[in-house]
């Protein structure tokens, strides 16, 4: 980091902190276009997102070169906008991932970057700003800053109300975050109303059995679980588990078929892929491990439900190419099946999962 010398700053130019917009006193040495009020905010931004986008910011925050023609100038502007759109998605995905991992402090700088880039590309009143407002609201809730979360949600609601082109997907996200807000305020009736709307809009946008609808079901289940309405909670946790099980199994079948069609004489390692971005993978892990923790408290009564979630987590990590974690969940499922003296057929099915890992690990990488 370099300290900013006031005399070196052009007259009339105000340099602001990237995190809090206070007057800046330091500049990033690597890109020289990002400013901070002090070391604390520089470290927070670097750990959150700046390390990933430092060099990408240079062309966005320096003057465009002189263009010989209007065509060149338009091309330059289009490239600039494409870079900003890329950064919008990158910062948004990183912030989402942090939230699902419970790293709410780290999520804030990344979400702020996404919001600013959205403002630059879409304007100050566009509905495209709403996802970033909602990320900031969710991060604020995670940090216990309910008032700040309400401010971000109010801004998101106002933007949606003014828009005539708001998608079902954005309506779903808005209601989910309002549901989380009212859960934090222990107003469970209002929370249930908004989560029901979240499920409705997500179902309209993606389908009732889509993974994008699973989050609404999951949070609704958490409410019923907290209210000791365990039958309702159990039904919804099962619904969420089945959604993820179907998605991951379908994904595996598609990849297996592709593998059969592309076998060559040299042999080829099975290339796996979840079809999810990093944030969606983090969401899947967060949801499924939470359900597993709940299932494990009732393993003696319903071991099959615990084993079902363990097998889903196996498939998730297997497709993420994390063999050690996949093996861990398969072994736990097999151990539970033996303790509970489940059928030989069930135990053999789990053993097949372990064999699957062994086969894939034994194949050469080409």
């Amino acid at each position: 980091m370099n300290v900013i010398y006031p005399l070196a700053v052009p007259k009339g130019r105000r340099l602001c902190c990237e995190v809090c917009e206070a007057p800046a006193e330091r500049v990033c040495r690597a890109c020289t276009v990002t400013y901070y009020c002090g070391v604390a905010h520089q470290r927070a931004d670097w750990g959150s997102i700046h390390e990933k986008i430092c060099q990408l910011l240079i062309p966005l925050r320096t003057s465009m070169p002189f263009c010989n023609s209007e065509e060149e100038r338009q091309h330059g502007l289009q490239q600039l906008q494409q870079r900003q759109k890329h950064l919008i998605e990158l910062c948004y995905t990183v912030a989402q991932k942090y939230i699902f991992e419970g790293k709410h402090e780290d999520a804030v700088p990344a979400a702020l970057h996404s919001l600013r880039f959205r403002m630059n590309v879409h304007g100050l009143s566009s509905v495209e700003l709403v996802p970033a407002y909602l990320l900031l609201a969710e991060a604020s809730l995670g940090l216990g800053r309910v008032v700040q979360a309400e401010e971000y949600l109010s801004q998101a609601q106002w933007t949606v109300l003014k828009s005539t082109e708001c998608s079902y997907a954005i309506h779903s996200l808005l209601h989910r975050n309002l549901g989380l807000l009212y859960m934090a305020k222990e107003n469970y009736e209002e929370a249930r109303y908004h989560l029901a709307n979240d499920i409705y809009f997500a179902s309209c946008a993606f389908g009732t059995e889509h993974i994008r609808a699973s989050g609404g079901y999951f949070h609704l289940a958490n409410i019923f679980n907290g209210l000791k309405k365990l039958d309702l909670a159990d039904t919804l946790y099962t619904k969420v588990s089945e959604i993820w099980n179907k998605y991951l199994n379908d994904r595996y079948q598609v990849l297996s078929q592709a593998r059969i069609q592309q076998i060559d004489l040299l042999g080829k390692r099975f290339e796996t892929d979840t079809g999810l971005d990093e944030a969606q993978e983090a969401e899947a892990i967060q949801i499924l491990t939470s359900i597993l923790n709940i299932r494990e408290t009732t393993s003696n009564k319903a071991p099959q439900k615990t084993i079902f979630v363990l097998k889903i987590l196996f498939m998730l990590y297997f497709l993420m190419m994390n063999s050690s974690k996949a093996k861990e969940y398969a072994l736990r499922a097999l151990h539970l099946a033996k303790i509970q003296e489940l059928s030989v057929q069930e135990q053999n099915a789990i053993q097949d999962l372990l064999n699957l890992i062994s086969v894939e690990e034994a194949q050469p990488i080409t």
Side-chain angles (χ1 to χ4, degrees), residues 302-313:
Q304 293 91 341
K305 291 181 179 179
T306 305
I307 289 171
F308 184 52
V309 181
L310 286 166
K311 287 162 70 175
I312 299 168
L313 280 161

Side-chain angles (χ1 to χ4, degrees), residues 188-189 192 221-230:
Y188 298 118
E189 185 175 346
R192 282 159 56 186
N222 287 341
I223 290 177
F224 288 126
N225 193 54
L227 294 173
K228 304 303 179 186
K229 296 182 178 181
L230 301 184

Side-chain angles (χ1 to χ4, degrees), residues 278-318:
E278 287 187 351
Q280 290 171 319
E281 288 179 350
E283 180 184 22
I285 292 168
Q286 186 243 344
I287 287 175
L288 292 169
T289 52
S290 296
I291 294 175
L292 177 61
N293 292 335
I294 292 164
R295 292 303 193 207
E296 285 183 326
T297 62
T298 58
S299 284
N300 292 332
K301 296 179 182 177
Q304 293 91 341
K305 291 181 179 179
T306 305
I307 289 171
F308 184 52
V309 181
L310 286 166
K311 287 162 70 175
I312 299 168
L313 280 161
F314 160 84
M315 188 60 69
L316 174 63
Y317 280 107
F318 179 74

Side-chain angles (χ1 to χ4, degrees), residues 96-97 99-101 176 211-212 214-215 218-219 237 240-241 243-245 247-248 274-293 309-310 312-317 319-320 329:
Q96 266 193 320
K97 183 172 183 284
I99 285 173
F100 290 128
E101 291 174 342
R176 183 170 304 180
I211 56 172
R212 294 283 289 270
S214 69
F218 172 68
H219 293 301
Y237 286 135
V240 174
S241 301
I243 288 172
W244 279 102
N245 180 62
Y247 173 81
L248 293 169
T274 61
L276 308 170
D277 62 32
E278 287 187 351
Q280 290 171 319
E281 288 179 350
E283 180 184 22
I285 292 168
Q286 186 243 344
I287 287 175
L288 292 169
T289 52
S290 296
I291 294 175
L292 177 61
N293 292 335
V309 181
L310 286 166
I312 299 168
L313 280 161
F314 160 84
M315 188 60 69
L316 174 63
Y317 280 107
L319 291 174
M320 288 173 66
Y329 284 112

Side-chain angles (χ1 to χ4, degrees), residues 252 255-256 259 268-272 318 321 360 363:
Y252 176 74
L255 292 168
S256 296
R259 179 196 188 193
K268 186 174 181 181
R269 186 180 176 88
F270 185 17
E271 295 296 329
T272 55
F318 179 74
M321 293 183 281
E360 292 304 330
Q363 288 185 346

